[in-house]
Amino acid sequence: MTPVIVDAARTPFGKRDGWLSGVHAAELLGHAQRGVLDRTGIDPALVEQAIGGCVTPIGEQFGNVTRTAWVHAGLPTATGTTTIDAQCGTAAQAVNLVAGQIAIGSLEVGLACGVELMSRVPLTYKVGTGLGTPRPESWSVDSPDQYTAADRIAVRRGFSREDLDAFGLRSQQRAAAAWDAGLLDDQIIPVAGVTRDQGLRESSMEGLARLQPVKDGGLHTAGSSSQISDGASAALLMSAARAEELGLKPKARLLNQCVMGGDLAFMLDAPIEAAGRVLARAGMTIADVDVFEVNEAFASVPMSFAQVHGVEDDRLNPNGGAIAVGHPAGATGIRLIATALAELERRDAQVALVAICASAATTCLLIERL
């Protein structure tokens, strides 16, 4: 069966300790789950499985938060639910998994989703809990923290601090312009009257130059790095045949997908290889892609991608990215998909590539507008 995306939407993204920080993760995710179903008007009982993502499944995000959210939102208990962690590509991988099950005929209707309340559940393990640490004491692999990796990429590609600041400014300016033009309105599921991302801020090269590096002696600052954020997202997928039966017009179909690891020393640079992999499988090239959404975990990531693949500026993150709108890690993948679909519609274009960096689970999707 051919899997199609019927809709993809998200809540506004709140900044750390901002608008959404008082909302429980399961409440916010349930709001997104029900919201995307309400937008399409389908009977929730048709959803056979919901696969959700959460990068830090501890505290209030523990214990299959996808299920907790689904039931709390009053949705049918017969629906199967799963929560996964694929790092920053988690929500996109949820889409991949739902699409894969549709493709082999295991289900006809599924929902992918993701959440991260980073204000309430920090994206790090807590030392001193008595529960141990993720890596054993014998760990000796060169696997740097993400800040070091981002700076390594910048040095590898010859990007200066000023280059990175300029990209951070670009993200803020493009996101503000997109919001002002109403280009992002349709992807939003309002929360208590909130309809706009909170992370946008007035920026200038002079102001960005005054920011201290995230790491001593480093190149990236808060102005060229993704924001700690709160948010949730959801996408409804089904077989093309089922969508036709229900009288629904799908927005897109998946042409190819992959999840891959990368060079640990540069842990965030794998979108370059992932894009090559999905394009080769689809018999396409970079020139066949109309829009690229490459997650702005750090400015060096999409900049490196564009440099290596020769992507023109107007095709890369045309409406800004995580530097401006925020990056609730478990939800970002579907935000990127929703943004890509909206931009394809605006341009009357056909193909988008979405890529999200992660050390062990770089996620990439090639989608075609219908």
Side-chain angles (χ1 to χ4, degrees):
M1 293 193 288
T2 300
V4 295
I5 300 172
V6 175
D7 197 14
R10 64 180 179 94
T11 69
F13 288 173
K15 67 181 183 181
R16 178 165 51 183
D17 300 326
W19 294 335
L20 300 180
S21 61
V23 183
H24 191 283
E27 291 179 320
L28 192 64
L29 180 56
H31 187 73
Q33 292 168 337
R34 181 170 281 282
V36 80
L37 295 174
D38 288 347
R39 282 161 55 108
T40 56
I42 76 160
D43 180 354
L46 294 175
V47 179
E48 298 159 85
Q49 286 194 46
I51 299 179
C54 182
V55 176
T56 314
I58 59 174
E60 66 185 55
Q61 296 177 165
F62 176 74
N64 194 356
V65 67
T66 307
R67 177 68 172 179
T68 307
W70 187 265
V71 173
H72 183 71
L75 295 166
T77 57
T79 300
T81 54
T82 304
T83 299
I84 64 168
D85 168 19
Q87 301 298 291
C88 296
T90 292
Q93 174 64 343
V95 170
N96 287 345
L97 293 173
V98 172
Q101 292 199 58
I102 293 171
I104 65 171
S106 293
L107 57 90
E108 287 192 298
V109 181
L111 185 133
C113 56
V115 66
E116 211 76 43
L117 264 290
M118 298 169 79
S119 294
R120 300 164 67 95
V121 185
L123 200 65
T124 55
Y125 65 88
K126 294 199 174 135
V127 178
T129 61
L131 300 178
T133 59
R135 293 173 178 170
E137 291 182 4
S138 57
W139 182 270
S140 60
V141 178
D142 177 17
S143 181
D145 62 73
Q146 58 184 335
Y147 311 107
T148 299
D151 282 351
R152 284 181 179 180
I153 293 169
V155 172
R156 182 190 212 180
R157 305 297 181 200
F159 302 142
S160 67
R161 161 68 187 270
E162 185 176 7
D163 294 333
L164 301 172
D165 286 351
F167 192 91
L169 179 62
R170 169 195 190 273
S171 183
Q172 290 288 347
Q173 291 174 336
R174 290 193 173 193
W179 271 113
D180 290 345
L183 302 182
L184 305 181
D185 292 352
D186 187 57
Q187 66 184 250
I188 296 297
I189 300 168
V191 179
V194 177
T195 59
R196 186 174 172 125
D197 298 316
Q198 192 179 12
L200 278 73
R201 49 185 178 250
E202 292 290 333
S203 296
S204 68
M205 288 298 290
E206 294 76 20
L208 290 169
R210 290 193 291 270
L211 296 176
Q212 294 298 309
V214 176
K215 292 183 75 73
D216 289 343
L219 294 168
H220 286 84
T221 70
S224 54
S225 308
S226 58
Q227 297 183 39
I228 293 172
S229 309
D230 304 321
S233 60
L236 179 66
L237 290 86
M238 59 183 67
S239 68
R242 192 69 167 125
E244 184 176 2
E245 288 175 10
L246 295 171
L248 296 170
K249 185 179 185 306
K251 292 189 173 183
R253 69 185 181 103
L254 276 70
L255 298 176
N256 212 277
Q257 55 168 283
C258 82
V259 174
M260 60 171 288
D263 184 342
L264 290 178
F266 294 91
M267 65 182 280
L268 306 176
D269 218 16
I272 293 168
E273 185 178 348
R277 183 177 295 187
V278 298
L279 287 168
R281 288 173 179 169
M284 302 172 74
T285 70
I286 287 290
D288 296 315
V289 180
D290 300 298
V291 175
F292 295 87
E293 286 290 336
V294 181
N295 191 40
E296 297 175 358
F298 298 89
S300 63
V301 176
M303 290 172 67
S304 177
F305 183 95
Q307 182 188 89
V308 172
H309 282 303
V311 176
E312 298 92 338
D313 185 67
D314 69 329
R315 289 197 291 160
L316 177 71
N317 299 2
N319 298 304
I323 291 172
V325 303
H327 179 27
T332 287
I334 291 173
R335 177 194 72 77
L336 291 165
I337 293 169
T339 303
L341 291 175
E343 185 63 16
L344 288 177
E345 182 74 21
R346 186 184 75 82
R347 297 184 181 207
D348 193 22
Q350 293 302 119
V351 178
L353 186 144
V354 173
I356 306 106
C357 61
S359 177
T362 291
T363 310
C364 189
L365 304 88
L366 191 62
I367 55 180
E368 180 183 39
R369 172 175 162 251
L370 297 174

